[in-house]
Amino acid sequence: MSSGSMTSLYSSSNARLTSIVSHFSGVRLKVVVCRHLGPAMPPLLERKDVDIVLWPEDRSCERAWLLENIKGAAGVLVLIPDFEVNQELLDAAGPNLRVVSTMSVGYEHIDVPLMAQNGIRVGYTPDVLTEAVADITIMLALMAGRNDGVAYTLVKNGEWCKPNFGWSPFTFCGPQLSTSLSSPTRTVGFLGFGRIAQATLSRLIPFGITHCIYTASPTSQPDTARDDALKAKHNLKGLDRVDIDRLARESDVLFLLTPGGKETYHLVDAAFLRKMKPMSVLVNTSRGSVVDSDALATALREKWIWGAGLDVVEGEPAITSDHPLVKESRCVMVPHIGSATFQTRLDMATCAIDNLIQGVFGGEMPAELKQSA
Amino acid sequence: MSSGSMTSLYSSSNARLTSIVSHFSGVRLKVVVCRHLGPAMPPLLERKDVDIVLWPEDRSCERAWLLENIKGAAGVLVLIPDFEVNQELLDAAGPNLRVVSTMSVGYEHIDVPLMAQNGIRVGYTPDVLTEAVADITIMLALMAGRNDGVAYTLVKNGEWCKPNFGWSPFTFCGPQLSTSLSSPTRTVGFLGFGRIAQATLSRLIPFGITHCIYTASPTSQPDTARDDALKAKHNLKGLDRVDIDRLARESDVLFLLTPGGKETYHLVDAAFLRKMKPMSVLVNTSRGSVVDSDALATALREKWIWGAGLDVVEGEPAITSDHPLVKESRCVMVPHIGSATFQTRLDMATCAIDNLIQGVFGGEMPAELKQSA
């Protein structure tokens, strides 16, 4: 791995200046870091201008430890599995707290309006995980279409050699992601059409995809200029913003890449799934709450759709072996590892540390959440 | 699935003419088909100008049945798992045999020089499976890099919910296929650079791949015009034909897409694997014989390379659960399903039937193997 991006920690002359001022004025700010973040940490730990309080164990930090140690801190760096950032935490921290930095693109664990009311800045790590998540989105589309959960398990169980494996012209066949001689068009659909969806679409183009449809939040404005440009760039026969009914009916592969929360809760339910094509594949690499798991299990069992590839499931990580989706052979699931690459986690850690340091010294944070109180 | 491609069965006016002549002259030719080929079969079975003898069971046909039924046949359609097409089969068929059509891109099961000596034409099904194999090649590269065999198994075993799953910033991390902020270059390597390799390269471009290197057969001529055109088309920083030593040393992801046989036997051995990068991924979707399985298992166990994704293994399908590669957690294996999509198998079946019919009537076969006696 390159350590090139770590230099960005030191690249802001603004922060450097603030840091020097802080140093000479004798003020030493305290920051709490809830987890060792790997190779991105040494530059932080070597800083002379802040007091770093680091949770010493290689597991999620304990709430009691955090409440004790955050006292008087100017900044705190949290991770998704950590406890909620709420009034209790603010009370424990006291009036010095200036910034909460989360090493994640999601911020459901942070009471954002409360932070705004208290003038506390929030940093997060969008963009840097776009490529890693788009990668795994393509992988899950292929795995779900090509029966690769079952195929992989068969080989690992030593059943390839057994007579009942029996090759036939259609053994293990599934729908093909790419276009082919006898099937020259393919429509991909996106629920949510932000950065990750567009990075996924780019990856799909050389598979011969001919049409793209998407459904965006009803409150968002259409962006026809962007859509026209994307359609031309990718040489698509169609790129259209459609209603959710058409999205369900026309997608050969449907990608869920939308934020979680109330607005998108169970948008993919039984009624939606019943409209989908019998050979279609559903991929969710955004938030589990978008899908009604019981409805999806029924859809797979009763063959309303062909297969599903999931990096996220409602209620995760409490997913036991008798979960209805775990029991479906046409459901490929991985444990929320969309951004789990060394490169991306390094970039996320670097961004979160940058946000923390810039935040406590009043500098420009590389990724600050826009807040409205 | 579209049935559009089936019309090509009837599209050659040459064959149609021969067929009409044959019909009115009272000669009815016999063809043997070793397996029902699914949706591509009805147009063949409805033909009035040939006698179709079809193995009636849904398993590989028996040698004894074939030897009995091929007597007097003008053509035979075989599949990879069927018995060898050799002198014994020719003797059983007698002098009427004009064509052997295999529903496969490989033809290791056919004694090609013997066919040439006897004036028997050979049909196969190249090209139509290029896209399906390129798809699964991308899938295996992603799965092997992202630990998805292990991740998938963990969820299926109900271990996601267990405390020992324990999220950490680097849980399940692997090397990222796409480029990233901190890792902006990526070199893909190909052993063999034919149709499937080039279709795979196309799919890799939106992942941000910057360099491509390949090793071709030493007897093949360099094609710098093609390479320059590909480099420009894909906006690559480099596209170079290299020796096998450099291929091993520089590839971040290495794809084996070369024919099998003596020339490529165990090209990937311990010496080769020791030269590879520790974070590199090896993908084999061509022939198992290219890789020394024991050496690869050692390379994975001793972390000479990061991971491997295999659709083919030497000695398949006799791969038991104590096979050294099955036991390696960083090895993702699927049971030779590279072309296993409904669309591609339909196209392969259609091509094989077309080859058979055109061959028996002396027409132009859509994919005839060039033979030298």
Side-chain angles (χ1 to χ4, degrees):
Chain A
M1 282 180 295
S2 156
S3 61
S5 67
M6 289 181 195
T7 57
S8 63
L9 264 177
Y10 305 106
S11 64
S12 162
S13 57
N14 186 19
R16 185 183 286 260
L17 186 65
T18 323
S19 145
I20 291 167
V21 170
S22 144
H23 180 71
F24 282 98
S25 64
V27 178
R28 283 172 60 85
L29 297 171
K30 171 175 162 181
V31 298
V32 178
V33 179
C34 291
R35 186 87 177 237
H36 196 291
L37 303 179
M41 287 293 282
L44 175 65
L45 296 175
E46 286 158 17
R47 290 185 77 100
K48 305 291 183 206
D49 53 357
V50 285
D51 286 328
I52 317 277
V53 180
L54 173 64
W55 167 249
E57 298 185 42
D58 189 19
R59 58 183 179 93
S60 290
C61 94
E62 287 174 3
R63 181 78 172 176
W65 178 91
L66 181 56
L67 290 173
E68 174 64 31
N69 283 275
I70 202 169
K71 201 170 294 176
V76 60
L77 194 158
V78 298
L79 295 90
I80 277 267
D82 293 330
F83 296 95
E84 295 211 338
V85 179
N86 55 13
Q87 185 68 52
E88 183 192 35
L89 203 71
L90 297 205
D91 290 345
N96 286 356
L97 193 66
R98 300 173 194 182
V99 62
V100 173
S101 168
T102 181
M103 184 181 140
S104 60
V105 63
Y107 43 81
E108 300 96 326
H109 51 307
I110 300 171
D111 186 338
V112 174
L114 181 68
M115 299 303 121
Q117 286 160 24
N118 286 272
I120 296 168
R121 300 165 77 184
V122 176
Y124 66 139
T125 63
D127 302 324
V128 290
L129 45 63
T130 299
E131 303 304 325
V133 178
D135 284 5
I136 212 164
T137 302
I138 297 294
M139 185 194 82
L140 287 170
L142 287 162
M143 288 181 73
R146 301 293 289 270
N147 299 305
D148 280 293
V150 177
Y152 169 85
T153 305
L154 175 139
V155 176
K156 283 289 172 185
N157 290 347
E159 288 164 26
W160 194 1
C161 61
K162 297 190 179 161
N164 59 356
F165 170 62
W167 189 90
S168 89
F170 293 95
T171 304
F172 280 113
C173 276
Q176 186 165 317
L177 180 57
S178 58
T179 47
S180 70
L181 201 61
S182 58
S183 179
T185 64
R186 201 73 85 243
T187 299
V188 292
F190 294 93
L191 182 62
F193 200 56
R195 289 179 299 263
I196 301 176
Q198 290 174 47
T200 301
L201 175 62
S202 291
R203 283 163 175 72
L204 289 163
I205 298 304
F207 288 80
I209 302 307
T210 49
H211 298 78
C212 171
I213 52 179
Y214 72 88
T215 300
S217 164
T219 60
S220 75
Q221 288 299 309
D223 189 345
T224 48
R226 179 203 61 188
D227 289 357
D228 290 347
L230 272 178
K231 184 182 168 189
K233 176 186 170 193
H234 291 320
N235 198 22
L236 287 163
K237 288 182 183 160
L239 191 155
D240 296 295
R241 179 169 165 155
V242 300
D243 61 33
I244 199 162
D245 182 73
R246 205 177 139 197
L247 186 75
R249 291 189 195 283
E250 294 187 13
S251 299
D252 292 310
V253 187
L254 176 59
F255 298 96
L256 310 181
L257 286 163
T258 183
K262 282 179 203 168
E263 270 188 35
T264 59
Y265 179 78
H266 284 202
L267 273 184
V268 176
D269 57 9
F272 183 99
L273 290 160
R274 275 192 188 278
K275 291 174 196 156
M276 289 181 71
K277 297 180 179 178
M279 295 294 277
S280 66
V281 165
L282 178 78
V283 178
N284 189 5
T285 44
S286 54
R287 286 292 176 260
S289 59
V290 182
V291 176
D292 177 338
S293 290
D294 290 326
L296 178 56
T298 305
L300 291 166
R301 195 165 53 248
E302 299 186 358
K303 302 196 194 311
W304 306 350
I305 69 172
W306 175 267
L310 311 176
D311 185 41
V312 291
V313 191
E314 192 172 18
E316 67 184 55
I319 307 299
T320 58
S321 57
D322 61 355
H323 187 282
L325 287 171
V326 171
K327 290 192 287 186
E328 288 305 317
S329 63
R330 290 276 178 77
C331 186
V332 173
M333 296 163 80
V334 290
H336 205 152
I337 56 174
S339 67
T341 71
F342 293 115
Q343 291 87 344
T344 286
R345 289 282 165 86
L346 174 65
D347 290 346
M348 289 170 72
T350 303
C351 179
I353 291 170
D354 246 343
N355 278 333
L356 177 73
I357 293 298
Q358 298 291 342
V360 295
F361 288 123
E364 191 177 332
M365 291 161 62
E368 181 171 0
L369 188 66
K370 289 173 199 155
Q371 302 178 60
S372 50
Chain B
M1 281 180 295
S2 159
S3 63
S5 67
M6 289 181 193
T7 57
S8 63
L9 264 177
Y10 306 107
S11 63
S12 162
S13 56
N14 185 19
R16 185 183 286 259
L17 188 65
T18 324
S19 147
I20 291 166
V21 171
S22 145
H23 180 70
F24 283 98
S25 65
V27 178
R28 283 174 59 85
L29 297 171
K30 170 177 164 181
V31 298
V32 179
V33 179
C34 291
R35 185 87 178 238
H36 196 290
L37 303 179
M41 287 293 280
L44 175 65
L45 297 175
E46 286 159 16
R47 291 184 78 100
K48 305 293 184 205
D49 54 355
V50 286
D51 286 328
I52 317 276
V53 180
L54 173 65
W55 167 248
E57 298 184 41
D58 189 20
R59 59 184 179 94
S60 290
C61 95
E62 286 174 3
R63 182 76 172 177
W65 178 91
L66 181 57
L67 290 172
E68 174 65 27
N69 284 276
I70 203 169
K71 201 171 295 177
V76 59
L77 194 157
V78 298
L79 294 91
I80 278 270
D82 293 329
F83 297 94
E84 295 212 340
V85 179
N86 55 13
Q87 185 66 54
E88 182 191 36
L89 202 70
L90 296 204
D91 291 344
N96 287 356
L97 194 65
R98 301 174 194 180
V99 61
V100 173
S101 168
T102 181
M103 183 181 140
S104 60
V105 63
Y107 42 82
E108 300 98 327
H109 51 306
I110 301 170
D111 186 337
V112 175
L114 180 68
M115 299 303 121
Q117 287 160 25
N118 288 274
I120 296 168
R121 301 165 76 185
V122 176
Y124 66 140
T125 62
D127 301 325
V128 291
L129 46 63
T130 299
E131 303 304 325
V133 178
D135 284 5
I136 212 165
T137 303
I138 296 294
M139 186 195 81
L140 287 169
L142 287 163
M143 286 181 74
R146 301 292 289 270
N147 299 304
D148 280 293
V150 176
Y152 169 85
T153 306
L154 174 138
V155 176
K156 283 288 173 186
N157 289 348
E159 289 166 28
W160 193 1
C161 61
K162 296 188 180 165
N164 60 355
F165 169 63
W167 190 92
S168 87
F170 292 93
T171 304
F172 280 113
C173 275
Q176 186 164 318
L177 179 58
S178 58
T179 47
S180 70
L181 201 62
S182 57
S183 179
T185 65
R186 200 73 85 243
T187 299
V188 292
F190 294 92
L191 182 63
F193 199 56
R195 288 181 299 264
I196 301 176
Q198 289 173 47
T200 301
L201 175 62
S202 291
R203 284 163 173 72
L204 289 164
I205 298 303
F207 288 80
I209 301 307
T210 49
H211 297 78
C212 171
I213 52 179
Y214 72 89
T215 300
S217 164
T219 61
S220 74
Q221 289 299 308
D223 190 345
T224 48
R226 179 202 62 187
D227 289 357
D228 289 347
L230 272 178
K231 183 181 167 188
K233 176 187 170 193
H234 291 321
N235 198 22
L236 287 164
K237 289 184 181 158
L239 191 156
D240 296 294
R241 180 169 165 154
V242 300
D243 61 30
I244 199 164
D245 182 74
R246 206 177 137 195
L247 186 75
R249 290 187 196 284
E250 294 186 11
S251 299
D252 292 309
V253 187
L254 177 59
F255 299 96
L256 310 181
L257 286 164
T258 182
K262 283 178 201 168
E263 271 188 33
T264 59
Y265 178 78
H266 283 200
L267 273 184
V268 176
D269 58 7
F272 182 99
L273 290 159
R274 275 192 188 280
K275 292 173 196 158
M276 289 181 70
K277 297 180 179 178
M279 294 294 277
S280 66
V281 164
L282 179 78
V283 178
N284 189 6
T285 45
S286 54
R287 285 293 176 258
S289 59
V290 182
V291 175
D292 177 340
S293 290
D294 290 326
L296 178 57
T298 306
L300 291 166
R301 197 166 49 248
E302 298 185 357
K303 302 194 194 312
W304 306 350
I305 68 172
W306 176 265
L310 310 177
D311 185 42
V312 293
V313 192
E314 192 171 19
E316 67 183 53
I319 306 300
T320 57
S321 57
D322 61 354
H323 187 282
L325 285 171
V326 172
K327 290 192 287 186
E328 288 304 319
S329 63
R330 289 276 179 77
C331 185
V332 173
M333 295 163 81
V334 290
H336 205 150
I337 56 174
S339 67
T341 71
F342 293 114
Q343 290 88 344
T344 286
R345 289 283 164 84
L346 174 66
D347 290 346
M348 289 170 72
T350 302
C351 179
I353 291 170
D354 246 345
N355 278 334
L356 177 74
I357 293 298
Q358 298 290 344
V360 297
F361 288 124
E364 191 178 333
M365 292 161 61
E368 181 171 3
L369 190 65
K370 289 172 198 152
Q371 303 177 61
S372 50

Short mmCIF file of all heavy atoms in Angstrom, two decimals, chain B residues 69-100:
data_model
loop_
_atom_site.label_atom_id
_atom_site.label_comp_id
_atom_site.label_asym_id
_atom_site.label_seq_id
_atom_site.Cartn_x
_atom_site.Cartn_y
_atom_site.Cartn_z
N ASN B 69 -25.53 -46.76 -32.49
CA ASN B 69 -26.42 -45.87 -33.24
C ASN B 69 -25.73 -45.04 -34.31
O ASN B 69 -26.39 -44.51 -35.20
CB ASN B 69 -27.20 -44.97 -32.27
CG ASN B 69 -28.32 -45.73 -31.59
OD1 ASN B 69 -29.41 -45.86 -32.16
ND2 ASN B 69 -28.05 -46.27 -30.41
N ILE B 70 -24.42 -44.91 -34.19
CA ILE B 70 -23.71 -44.05 -35.16
C ILE B 70 -23.56 -44.76 -36.51
O ILE B 70 -23.16 -44.13 -37.50
CB ILE B 70 -22.35 -43.59 -34.58
CG1 ILE B 70 -21.88 -42.31 -35.28
CG2 ILE B 70 -21.31 -44.71 -34.65
CD1 ILE B 70 -20.72 -41.63 -34.62
N LYS B 71 -23.87 -46.04 -36.53
CA LYS B 71 -23.71 -46.82 -37.76
C LYS B 71 -24.44 -46.16 -38.93
O LYS B 71 -25.65 -45.94 -38.89
CB LYS B 71 -24.26 -48.23 -37.53
CG LYS B 71 -23.74 -49.27 -38.49
CD LYS B 71 -24.19 -50.68 -38.05
CE LYS B 71 -23.56 -51.10 -36.71
NZ LYS B 71 -24.01 -52.41 -36.23
N GLY B 72 -23.71 -45.81 -39.98
CA GLY B 72 -24.31 -45.21 -41.17
C GLY B 72 -24.62 -43.72 -41.07
O GLY B 72 -25.13 -43.13 -42.02
N ALA B 73 -24.30 -43.11 -39.92
CA ALA B 73 -24.65 -41.71 -39.73
C ALA B 73 -23.77 -40.79 -40.59
O ALA B 73 -22.60 -41.07 -40.84
CB ALA B 73 -24.52 -41.33 -38.26
N ALA B 74 -24.38 -39.66 -41.01
CA ALA B 74 -23.63 -38.65 -41.76
C ALA B 74 -23.03 -37.61 -40.83
O ALA B 74 -22.08 -36.91 -41.18
CB ALA B 74 -24.55 -37.97 -42.76
N GLY B 75 -23.62 -37.51 -39.63
CA GLY B 75 -23.10 -36.51 -38.70
C GLY B 75 -23.37 -36.91 -37.26
O GLY B 75 -24.29 -37.68 -36.98
N VAL B 76 -22.53 -36.39 -36.36
CA VAL B 76 -22.74 -36.66 -34.94
C VAL B 76 -22.48 -35.37 -34.16
O VAL B 76 -21.55 -34.61 -34.47
CB VAL B 76 -21.85 -37.82 -34.43
CG1 VAL B 76 -20.37 -37.50 -34.64
CG2 VAL B 76 -22.12 -38.15 -32.97
N LEU B 77 -23.34 -35.12 -33.19
CA LEU B 77 -23.17 -33.95 -32.33
C LEU B 77 -22.78 -34.43 -30.94
O LEU B 77 -23.52 -35.19 -30.30
CB LEU B 77 -24.47 -33.14 -32.27
CG LEU B 77 -24.38 -31.72 -31.69
CD1 LEU B 77 -25.53 -30.85 -32.18
CD2 LEU B 77 -24.31 -31.70 -30.18
N VAL B 78 -21.59 -34.02 -30.49
CA VAL B 78 -21.08 -34.49 -29.20
C VAL B 78 -20.89 -33.32 -28.24
O VAL B 78 -20.90 -32.15 -28.64
CB VAL B 78 -19.73 -35.23 -29.36
CG1 VAL B 78 -19.90 -36.46 -30.24
CG2 VAL B 78 -18.65 -34.31 -29.94
N LEU B 79 -20.75 -33.66 -26.97
CA LEU B 79 -20.48 -32.66 -25.93
C LEU B 79 -19.19 -33.05 -25.23
O LEU B 79 -18.75 -34.19 -25.29
CB LEU B 79 -21.64 -32.61 -24.93
CG LEU B 79 -22.98 -32.12 -25.50
CD1 LEU B 79 -23.80 -33.25 -26.03
CD2 LEU B 79 -23.75 -31.33 -24.46
N ILE B 80 -18.60 -32.11 -24.54
CA ILE B 80 -17.31 -32.33 -23.87
C ILE B 80 -17.31 -33.61 -23.02
O ILE B 80 -16.37 -34.39 -23.06
CB ILE B 80 -16.91 -31.10 -23.02
CG1 ILE B 80 -16.26 -30.04 -23.91
CG2 ILE B 80 -15.99 -31.45 -21.88
CD1 ILE B 80 -14.76 -30.13 -24.05
N PRO B 81 -18.35 -33.87 -22.22
CA PRO B 81 -18.23 -35.05 -21.34
C PRO B 81 -18.43 -36.37 -22.08
O PRO B 81 -18.31 -37.42 -21.46
CB PRO B 81 -19.36 -34.85 -20.32
CG PRO B 81 -19.84 -33.45 -20.50
CD PRO B 81 -19.56 -33.11 -21.92
N ASP B 82 -18.77 -36.32 -23.35
CA ASP B 82 -18.97 -37.57 -24.07
C ASP B 82 -17.63 -38.26 -24.34
O ASP B 82 -16.57 -37.71 -24.10
CB ASP B 82 -19.70 -37.32 -25.39
CG ASP B 82 -21.13 -36.84 -25.14
OD1 ASP B 82 -21.71 -37.24 -24.12
OD2 ASP B 82 -21.63 -36.04 -25.95
N PHE B 83 -17.74 -39.48 -24.85
CA PHE B 83 -16.53 -40.26 -25.10
C PHE B 83 -15.71 -39.66 -26.23
O PHE B 83 -16.18 -38.83 -26.99
CB PHE B 83 -16.91 -41.69 -25.44
CG PHE B 83 -17.62 -42.38 -24.31
CD1 PHE B 83 -19.00 -42.39 -24.25
CD2 PHE B 83 -16.91 -42.97 -23.29
CE1 PHE B 83 -19.66 -43.02 -23.21
CE2 PHE B 83 -17.55 -43.60 -22.26
CZ PHE B 83 -18.94 -43.63 -22.21
N GLU B 84 -14.49 -40.16 -26.36
CA GLU B 84 -13.57 -39.64 -27.37
C GLU B 84 -14.04 -39.94 -28.79
O GLU B 84 -14.59 -41.01 -29.06
CB GLU B 84 -12.19 -40.25 -27.16
CG GLU B 84 -11.58 -39.82 -25.85
CD GLU B 84 -10.07 -39.72 -25.92
OE1 GLU B 84 -9.47 -40.33 -26.83
OE2 GLU B 84 -9.50 -39.02 -25.08
N VAL B 85 -13.80 -38.97 -29.64
CA VAL B 85 -14.09 -39.17 -31.06
C VAL B 85 -12.78 -39.64 -31.70
O VAL B 85 -11.88 -38.85 -31.98
CB VAL B 85 -14.60 -37.86 -31.70
CG1 VAL B 85 -14.87 -38.06 -33.18
CG2 VAL B 85 -15.86 -37.38 -30.97
N ASN B 86 -12.69 -40.97 -31.91
CA ASN B 86 -11.43 -41.59 -32.32
C ASN B 86 -11.68 -42.67 -33.40
O ASN B 86 -12.78 -42.77 -33.95
CB ASN B 86 -10.73 -42.19 -31.09
CG ASN B 86 -11.65 -43.18 -30.35
OD1 ASN B 86 -12.69 -43.58 -30.89
ND2 ASN B 86 -11.26 -43.54 -29.16
N GLN B 87 -10.65 -43.46 -33.68
CA GLN B 87 -10.74 -44.47 -34.74
C GLN B 87 -11.89 -45.45 -34.49
O GLN B 87 -12.60 -45.84 -35.42
CB GLN B 87 -9.41 -45.25 -34.82
CG GLN B 87 -9.33 -46.24 -35.98
CD GLN B 87 -9.35 -45.52 -37.33
OE1 GLN B 87 -8.53 -44.64 -37.59
NE2 GLN B 87 -10.28 -45.89 -38.21
N GLU B 88 -12.06 -45.83 -33.22
CA GLU B 88 -13.13 -46.77 -32.89
C GLU B 88 -14.50 -46.23 -33.33
O GLU B 88 -15.33 -46.97 -33.89
CB GLU B 88 -13.14 -47.02 -31.37
CG GLU B 88 -14.19 -48.03 -30.93
CD GLU B 88 -14.39 -48.08 -29.42
OE1 GLU B 88 -14.31 -47.01 -28.77
OE2 GLU B 88 -14.64 -49.17 -28.90
N LEU B 89 -14.70 -44.93 -33.08
CA LEU B 89 -15.98 -44.32 -33.42
C LEU B 89 -16.15 -44.24 -34.95
O LEU B 89 -17.23 -44.50 -35.49
CB LEU B 89 -16.08 -42.92 -32.80
CG LEU B 89 -17.50 -42.37 -32.61
CD1 LEU B 89 -18.22 -43.14 -31.51
CD2 LEU B 89 -17.47 -40.90 -32.27
N LEU B 90 -15.04 -43.91 -35.64
CA LEU B 90 -15.10 -43.85 -37.11
C LEU B 90 -15.43 -45.23 -37.68
O LEU B 90 -16.24 -45.35 -38.61
CB LEU B 90 -13.78 -43.35 -37.70
CG LEU B 90 -13.33 -41.94 -37.38
CD1 LEU B 90 -12.37 -41.41 -38.46
CD2 LEU B 90 -14.50 -41.00 -37.22
N ASP B 91 -14.79 -46.26 -37.14
CA ASP B 91 -15.06 -47.63 -37.60
C ASP B 91 -16.53 -47.98 -37.42
O ASP B 91 -17.15 -48.59 -38.29
CB ASP B 91 -14.18 -48.62 -36.83
CG ASP B 91 -12.71 -48.49 -37.20
OD1 ASP B 91 -12.41 -47.85 -38.24
OD2 ASP B 91 -11.86 -48.99 -36.43
N ALA B 92 -17.08 -47.59 -36.27
CA ALA B 92 -18.48 -47.90 -35.99
C ALA B 92 -19.41 -47.14 -36.93
O ALA B 92 -20.45 -47.65 -37.36
CB ALA B 92 -18.81 -47.57 -34.54
N ALA B 93 -19.03 -45.89 -37.25
CA ALA B 93 -19.89 -45.06 -38.10
C ALA B 93 -19.91 -45.54 -39.54
O ALA B 93 -20.95 -45.58 -40.19
CB ALA B 93 -19.41 -43.60 -38.05
N GLY B 94 -18.74 -45.91 -40.03
CA GLY B 94 -18.67 -46.27 -41.44
C GLY B 94 -18.43 -45.06 -42.33
O GLY B 94 -18.28 -43.94 -41.84
N PRO B 95 -18.44 -45.26 -43.64
CA PRO B 95 -17.96 -44.24 -44.59
C PRO B 95 -18.89 -43.05 -44.78
O PRO B 95 -18.51 -42.08 -45.42
CB PRO B 95 -17.81 -45.03 -45.90
CG PRO B 95 -18.77 -46.17 -45.78
CD PRO B 95 -18.83 -46.52 -44.32
N ASN B 96 -20.13 -43.11 -44.28
CA ASN B 96 -21.04 -41.98 -44.50
C ASN B 96 -20.71 -40.74 -43.67
O ASN B 96 -21.21 -39.66 -43.95
CB ASN B 96 -22.49 -42.39 -44.17
CG ASN B 96 -23.07 -43.31 -45.24
OD1 ASN B 96 -22.41 -43.58 -46.25
ND2 ASN B 96 -24.26 -43.81 -45.00
N LEU B 97 -19.90 -40.92 -42.63
CA LEU B 97 -19.70 -39.82 -41.67
C LEU B 97 -18.99 -38.62 -42.33
O LEU B 97 -17.90 -38.75 -42.86
CB LEU B 97 -18.90 -40.30 -40.45
CG LEU B 97 -18.92 -39.35 -39.25
CD1 LEU B 97 -20.31 -39.22 -38.65
CD2 LEU B 97 -17.93 -39.79 -38.18
N ARG B 98 -19.65 -37.47 -42.29
CA ARG B 98 -19.12 -36.26 -42.92
C ARG B 98 -18.73 -35.18 -41.93
O ARG B 98 -17.95 -34.28 -42.24
CB ARG B 98 -20.19 -35.65 -43.84
CG ARG B 98 -20.66 -36.56 -44.92
CD ARG B 98 -21.81 -35.92 -45.69
NE ARG B 98 -22.48 -36.91 -46.52
CZ ARG B 98 -23.51 -36.65 -47.31
NH1 ARG B 98 -24.00 -35.41 -47.37
NH2 ARG B 98 -24.08 -37.60 -48.02
N VAL B 99 -19.37 -35.22 -40.75
CA VAL B 99 -19.14 -34.10 -39.82
C VAL B 99 -19.26 -34.55 -38.36
O VAL B 99 -20.12 -35.37 -38.02
CB VAL B 99 -20.12 -32.93 -40.11
CG1 VAL B 99 -21.57 -33.36 -39.94
CG2 VAL B 99 -19.83 -31.72 -39.23
N VAL B 100 -18.35 -34.02 -37.55
CA VAL B 100 -18.45 -34.14 -36.10
C VAL B 100 -18.61 -32.72 -35.57
O VAL B 100 -17.78 -31.84 -35.84
CB VAL B 100 -17.18 -34.78 -35.49
CG1 VAL B 100 -17.24 -34.73 -33.96
CG2 VAL B 100 -17.02 -36.20 -35.99
#
